[in-house]
Amino acid sequence: MTLHATIDRVTDRIRERSQVSRGRYLAKIARAAQEGPARAHLSCGNQAHAYAAMEDKVDMATTRKPNIGIVTAYNDMLSAHQPYERYPDLIRAAGQAAGATVQVAGGVPAMCDGVTQGRKGMELSLFSRDVIALAAGVALSHDCFDSAMYLGVCDKIVPGLIIAAAIFGHVPAVFVPAGPMPSGLPNDEKSRVRQQFATGEVGREELMKAEMASYHGPGTCTFYGTANTNQMLMEFMGLHLPGSSFVNPNTPLREALTVAAVERAAAITNLGNEYLPAGEVLDERAFVNGIVGLMATGGSTNLVLHLPAMARAAGVLIDIEDFHDLSENVPLMARVYPNGLADVNHFHAAGGLGYMIGQLLEAGLLHPDVKTINGTGLDGYTAEPRLDGARIRWEAGARDSLNDKILRPASDPFARTGGMKQLQGNLGRGVIKISAVAPERHVIEARARVFQDQEAVKTAFRNGEFTEDTIVVVRFQGPRANGMPELHSLTPTLAVLQDRGLKVALVTDGRMSGASGKVPAAIHISPEAASGGPLARLRDGDMLRLDAAHGTLECLEADFEARTPMAFDPEESSEGMGRELFAAFRAVAGPATDGAGVVV
C-alpha cells in the first residue's frame, strides 16, 4: 500500500527539522559502535571489579559471549512492576541457554501516579522521568554491556528509559513488558462510585470497596491510561516483541515471551551478524509510527509531552503540530476506557495491536520499512504469539475484529480522526483530547473561574459556587512552577458539574491523567503562567472561548493583552515531600511544547 500523503509529509517535515541534530546523533553513536564490544576495552582490574560477584565470571572474562545488562524499575508498590521481581533470575537462565551472560546493571525509581494523585508528591512525577533517564545512564556507564533489557511499564518510566536507551544508542535495546492485571470492577462502575463520593451520596467505605475491586492484583491498571499507552507505543515502535504488550503477568505465555526477548537481546549485539543499535530503531519513522498508534487507539495525552522528549534524545525534533496533523488523518479504531467501556484485556481479546497494525499498514498509515528488534519491517507485528511447548511460535493474527464495539477497521472507525487537537490563541499553545468528549461540548464559551491550585477548585465545588457554565482555569501548574502535576483528581468534580447540565471545561498549564476523558480539557498550555505566560493575565469573570473544532483558545476581553501578568509565588511548591530536591529541575525545565524536559 502506498504511504499516506500526510504520513509522508509529516515525516519529511520532521526529518528536515531534525537534519542537523539527527546527523550529529548518528555520528556520535557510530563512533561509539566503532570501538567494538565494550568489555574489550576494560583493563583487567576494571573487569575484575565488574565480574567479582558473578558465578560465570570466567566466561565473562575469557569468552566472546554477549553480556546483557538489565535496567529494572522493579518495586512491589507498583502493581505493574511487581512481576519484575522474578525477571532477573528468569533472564539469567534464558541468557545462559542462549549463550550469553547477564547482569542487573542497575535500578531506576518508579513512582505511582495513582498513589500521588492530588498529593504533593505528584509534583515530583514528571521530573521522575528525567531521574529515571539519569539513573539508567549511570547503570549503563560501566560500559560492560553488549545489549540492554529495559524492564519498565508505567507513566514516566518507559519514557525515561527510552531517553537513556537513545543516549546509549550504540547499545541494542529490548523493552520487556509485564502485562495488565486481569479485569476487575468495570471502569465505568468505578467512575460512577467516585462521582457519588464527590457529591456525598456514598461514603469512604463504598469508595474504598470499589477502588480495591478495580485495582486488585499484579499488572498494569486495566484502563487505557499512560501506562498501557506506553506499552502500545513500544510495540508500534518495534521495541517489544510482537503481541507481547497485553499478555497477563505470571502466565506461561508471559514467561515464554520474556525468554524470547532474552534471545533477541543476545542475537542483536555487535558480536554477531544482526547488530541493531537502539539509535537506528529510534528514527523519525518510528516516532511517527508511535504517534499514529497514539491516535488510532485514543491514547494518553501524557505522550504528547513524553514523545518530544524521547525523540529529542535521539536527535529527532517533534512539535505538537505533528501530533495535530497526524491526528487529523488517523482514524480512531478503538474504544477502551476512558474512551469506552472496555478495558485493555477486552481490547487484546478483540484482536488488539496486531489487528490494528495490520489495518493501519494496509491503509498506508504506518511506515512499513522500519527497523525493529524483531527484524526489518513492521509487518511482523501483525502476528500473534502462541505457546509451542515452552517456546513461542508466532502465527497470523486476527484479520477481523472480534468485537466491533471495542475495535473497528480503519475503513469503518469510531471516528474519522484521532481526536487530539492542537489549540492556539492569545492564551498560548496547548492540546485537547476530544475522543471521549461529546460533540456538543467541543466548543465552550463561558466565563472563567481562575484558581492557583486544584484544592481551591474542590473547595469552591463543596461551597456550591459553580452554578453556571464555567471554564475552570488552574494556572501555575507548569514544569517551572511546580513540576507540572496531573490534575486528574479534578475529574470527578468537573464530571459532576457536567452531569448536572452545565457546560464546563478545564484550562491549565498542567497535565491531566491518561485516564481522564469526557470533560473538555485544554492542557499543557505554553508559555506557562510562571514564566509570564498569558494564563497569568486572566481574571475571574473573563469571557473565554475554547473551540476544539477550529483549534483555538481565546480570552475575549478587550484589555487582555495590556494587562500585567500576575507574579508566581514559588513558596507553596518549594518544600515538603522531597520538592526541595527538585528546585534545580524547576529552574531549567523546558516548555511543555518541547516535552518539559530537564536532561534533553
Side-chain angles (χ1 to χ4, degrees), residues 121-459:
M122 173 54 76
E123 295 181 15
L124 278 59
S125 175
L126 180 60
F127 290 148
S128 75
R129 180 189 69 191
D130 298 81
V131 174
I132 288 159
L134 291 167
V138 170
L140 295 173
S141 69
H142 296 99
D143 205 18
C144 293
F145 309 108
D146 301 297
S147 64
M149 298 185 72
Y150 296 90
L151 313 185
V153 174
C154 288
D155 296 24
K156 266 59 64 185
I157 294 95
V158 168
L161 292 174
I162 284 285
I163 291 170
I167 295 298
F168 285 81
H170 63 290
V171 179
V174 175
F175 278 66
V176 187
M181 68 178 70
S183 301
L185 183 74
N187 286 295
D188 60 326
E189 175 65 13
K190 174 191 68 180
S191 179
R192 184 184 65 81
V193 175
R194 284 179 175 177
Q195 289 182 216
Q196 287 181 318
F197 179 76
T199 60
E201 295 174 59
V202 301
R204 187 166 294 278
E205 184 177 344
E206 285 299 310
L207 177 65
M208 190 66 187
K209 182 180 177 182
E211 298 288 355
M212 292 288 281
S214 180
Y215 308 115
H216 61 90
T220 52
C221 309
T222 59
F223 59 81
Y224 195 53
T226 309
N228 285 317
T229 303
N230 283 341
Q231 301 310 290
M232 172 281 300
L233 196 71
M234 293 300 93
E235 202 153 326
F236 267 77
M237 293 179 66
L239 289 162
H240 278 177
L241 287 177
S244 63
S245 296
F246 299 133
V247 174
N248 298 127
N250 304 320
T251 61
L253 181 57
R254 174 85 279 156
E255 185 165 308
L257 281 163
T258 302
V259 170
V262 178
E263 292 168 352
R264 289 307 296 161
I268 60 177
T269 74
N270 204 4
L271 293 166
N273 298 321
E274 298 182 63
Y275 178 46
L276 184 62
E280 291 185 9
V281 176
L282 294 168
D283 68 4
E284 64 281 348
R285 297 169 302 165
F287 284 104
V288 167
N289 283 351
I291 297 173
V292 169
L294 179 67
M295 301 310 166
T297 58
S300 167
T301 54
N302 277 323
L303 272 299
V304 182
L305 273 178
H306 296 321
L307 275 161
M310 293 154 62
R312 189 174 293 270
V316 177
L317 305 181
I318 294 175
D319 188 83
I320 58 174
E321 69 171 342
D322 303 321
F323 290 89
H324 177 89
D325 289 354
L326 291 170
S327 178
E328 288 295 287
N329 291 273
V330 175
L332 178 66
M333 298 170 59
R335 286 285 193 202
V336 187
Y337 189 86
N339 300 332
L341 298 182
D343 67 23
V344 293
N345 293 308
H346 305 136
F347 166 77
H348 185 64
L353 297 179
Y355 171 78
M356 291 193 77
I357 290 171
Q359 285 284 310
L360 291 165
L361 283 170
E362 288 181 12
L365 291 168
L366 289 171
H367 288 281
D369 54 344
V370 290
K371 293 182 178 180
T372 77
I373 63 165
N374 196 50
T376 300
L378 200 60
D379 59 338
Y381 284 76
T382 65
E384 291 185 4
R386 291 284 185 266
L387 277 175
D388 186 356
R391 298 189 60 78
I392 291 291
R393 180 187 73 253
W394 272 272
E395 58 184 44
R399 298 289 297 172
D400 299 296
S401 171
L402 301 181
N403 188 332
D404 63 6
K405 294 180 180 179
I406 300 171
L407 190 57
R408 288 187 181 173
S411 59
D412 182 26
F414 291 101
R416 184 185 61 81
T417 70
M420 198 82 73
K421 294 269 193 174
Q422 176 182 219
L423 296 173
Q424 300 185 80
N426 64 5
L427 289 178
R429 293 179 79 202
V431 295
I432 184 170
K433 176 183 173 183
I434 59 171
S435 52
V437 176
E440 62 270 21
R441 301 185 184 279
H442 289 184
V443 179
I444 294 185
E445 189 171 304
R447 298 206 175 275
R449 282 293 310 273
V450 183
F451 300 90
Q452 319 305 333
D453 61 68
Q454 55 188 317
E455 283 305 314
V457 180
K458 297 176 188 177
T459 298

Side-chain angles (χ1 to χ4, degrees), residues 101-126:
T101 56
V102 177
Q103 292 178 292
V104 174
V108 302
M111 67 181 292
C112 180
D113 289 0
V115 176
T116 58
Q117 204 66 247
R119 310 284 297 170
K120 294 176 181 178
M122 173 54 76
E123 295 181 15
L124 278 59
S125 175
L126 180 60

